[in-house]
Structure formats: structure tokens, C-alpha cells
Amino acid sequence: MKPLLARLLTALALLPVAVSAADHLHFTSGTPGGSIAIDGKHDDWSGDLTPVGSEPFAVQIVNDQNTLYLRLTASDPVIRNQILRRGLVVWFDESGGTRKRLGIHYPVVEGGMGDGNGHRGGYGGGHHGGGSGGSSTSGGSASGGADAPAAAPEDYEPPNRIDILGPGKDDARSLTSGHASGVEAALRVSEGAVFYELKVPLGTSADHPYAINASAGKTIGIGFETPKAEQPSGEAPHGGGGGYGRGGGMGGHGGMHGGGMHGGHQEGGGDQPPKPLKVWATVSLSGSQAR
């Protein structure tokens, strides 16, 4: 009986770990069904998108031996407007954790909102980007109500900029899309939904200095974040520090280790702006050969 009791106690002790592992968001990357053009159209993808926990958006991830491809759709008005007004940061941790090792911030708009540290995102300054003021085509102001549900412009054209963040907390490079050395991103609005695509090299090289630094077949960490809205001068911020990784946001070791966390659709009322999207997951990269 004693050996049996010991085994039972050992199993019970391990049970919380198993439950925690089961609750962790995990994706399995497939292989591309063919050539994928990063244009926001999604018509050259095969396979299905997968919901990201309880968050109202879905993703699909595929990779070959050299490159990771990601597509995302979001029709929820608040999440959609956060992405359009502030941009989306997709973080990668080659070790499979929640460290902000490489971040791709897109779209990035001059005059839009940002993290209070000189990084701007969203489309608060005109629906064709580059504006330095004025009202957004989808309504709202630069704070508070800026993420209120509104009609998304079908002719929205994101600016030709990508911000590369990390690996250090102060490492940030703002590049035009044609000079991002293998990193490509695109976004399109159709029928009220956002269609987003991202291409990132897996391995670092002379031609691809901005890469995940992982190889096919490995497990990596991936995070999705919308930066906090920049507060007008004189106003106290709602909640803690703003930004993506500079004293606020997800935090390198304080990010989510499980499912979705406080998506923009879940909170917010009155003058309180919806909370930024913050969620981490792991991805098992495909080990198949490139086609």
C-alpha cells in the first residue's frame, strides 16, 4: 500500500502543473501551401485560422526552413480600432518564453498615438497616414474615446513604415518597408475587419539582421500587444506606465504566461479607454523543408 500511496501523492502533486500547461496558449505552425505575398489579402493561404484564447481575433502561423509567416483577422470593433490607431506589436522570444527579444510594430503612423517615449502608432492623424493632427476618419479623439467602435475605412492605407524593437529595451529602429531586410508586413480593411500579414526571417544573417534567431522545428514564444494610448499633456494616465516594454505594456518577465489577458473588448467604460491587447503564446515551428 505504501508504494501505491506514494505514487498517488506524487500524481496529485503534479496535477496543478499539468492543468497549468493545458491552459497555456499554444499553436502548431504548418508549412506554406505555396508562395505567400505579404499584401493583406489572405487569398494565397491554405488552412484555417485559430482563435487566440478568449481574444476576439484569430491567427494562422506557417514556416519553412528560413521564414515565418503569420496572418491575423480581427472584426471586433475595439481590437480593430486599437490596431488601426496604435498599431500592433508582434513579439518573439526564441527561447519559448515571454521575453521581448524581437518586436515588429506595424502599422506606425506619424501624428498618431504611441507609448509616450517617442514611438507613435495608429491612425489618429488621417486615414492615409502621415498626418500631424486633425480627426480620424473613423471618429474619436486622441484619447479616451479614440478606441470606441466606429466604422473602419475601406480605403485605409497604412504608412510605409515598420518599427523593429529589441533585443534591448532601448533598441528601436524605424524603417521604411523596403529597407526592413526581409521583414514584411501588410494590413487591409475589408467589410469592417482587419486583415494583417507578417513575414519574419527565422535566422539572423548578413542579409537578415532582424530575425527571430530560431530554427525550424523549435518552439518559440510569441506575443501580441497594442501599445497604450498616449495621454494628452496635463492628464494623468489611466493605469500604469504606457508603451511597449518601457516601464509598462507587457513587461519582459511580467507578461502573460497563459491565455488572453484583458483584451481591449473586455474592459473600458465612460472615459476609461479600453485596456490594450496583451497576450502571449508558444509556437511549435514546423521542421519540414521549404517548398
Side-chain angles (χ1 to χ4, degrees):
M1 290 297 292
K2 287 185 178 181
L4 179 60
L5 180 59
R7 288 197 297 271
L8 179 60
L9 291 174
T10 300
L12 290 174
L14 293 175
L15 184 58
V17 176
V19 171
S20 176
D23 288 343
H24 186 88
L25 279 179
H26 181 78
F27 299 97
T28 300
S29 177
T31 55
S35 177
I36 296 177
I38 305 302
D39 53 16
K41 293 183 179 180
H42 291 196
D43 55 356
D44 46 8
W45 286 73
S46 59
D48 299 321
L49 293 102
T50 301
V52 180
S54 61
E55 303 293 344
F57 69 98
V59 302
Q60 182 184 3
I61 301 169
V62 298
N63 71 276
D64 54 30
Q65 292 294 107
N66 304 308
T67 309
L68 178 143
Y69 301 87
L70 181 148
R71 66 167 171 158
L72 177 152
T73 60
S75 58
D76 175 82
V78 175
I79 294 294
R80 179 197 68 205
N81 286 0
Q82 285 191 3
I83 292 174
L84 293 179
R85 288 188 172 94
R86 309 179 192 177
L88 175 69
V89 183
V90 180
W91 293 102
F92 296 98
D93 179 0
E94 73 276 12
S95 67
T98 59
R99 294 185 303 162
K100 295 179 176 183
R101 296 285 295 162
L102 173 71
I104 311 299
H105 182 199
Y106 179 87
V108 181
V109 178
E110 292 288 351
M113 287 178 270
D115 67 348
N117 293 283
H119 301 99
R120 295 173 294 274
Y123 77 109
H127 73 282
H128 289 293
S132 59
S135 61
S136 164
T137 56
S138 64
S141 62
S143 66
D147 293 318
E154 296 289 322
D155 61 345
Y156 170 69
E157 296 179 11
N160 189 32
R161 281 183 52 199
I162 298 176
D163 282 358
I164 309 294
L165 312 175
K169 68 176 183 177
D170 296 321
D171 293 338
R173 309 157 193 84
S174 185
L175 307 168
T176 59
S177 297
H179 294 84
S181 302
V183 175
E184 298 180 32
L187 183 146
R188 184 173 64 96
V189 177
S190 179
E191 298 182 354
V194 164
F195 294 84
Y196 169 99
E197 288 181 310
L198 178 65
K199 173 184 176 182
V200 187
L202 288 180
T204 304
S205 67
D207 293 332
H208 298 144
Y210 315 122
I212 300 171
N213 198 26
S215 56
K218 300 298 183 180
T219 296
I220 63 172
I222 187 169
F224 301 91
E225 177 180 22
T226 53
K228 288 187 177 182
E230 193 171 77
Q231 297 296 323
S233 59
E235 286 191 17
H238 297 282
Y244 37 77
R246 275 70 167 179
M250 284 191 284
H253 296 281
M256 277 296 292
H257 290 267
M261 170 183 171
H262 303 303
H265 64 293
Q266 294 175 339
E267 298 191 21
D271 293 332
Q272 178 73 21
K275 279 202 171 185
L277 172 69
K278 302 175 185 179
V279 61
W280 276 93
T282 51
V283 181
S284 294
L285 298 177
S286 170
S288 301
Q289 293 293 320
R291 296 187 179 188

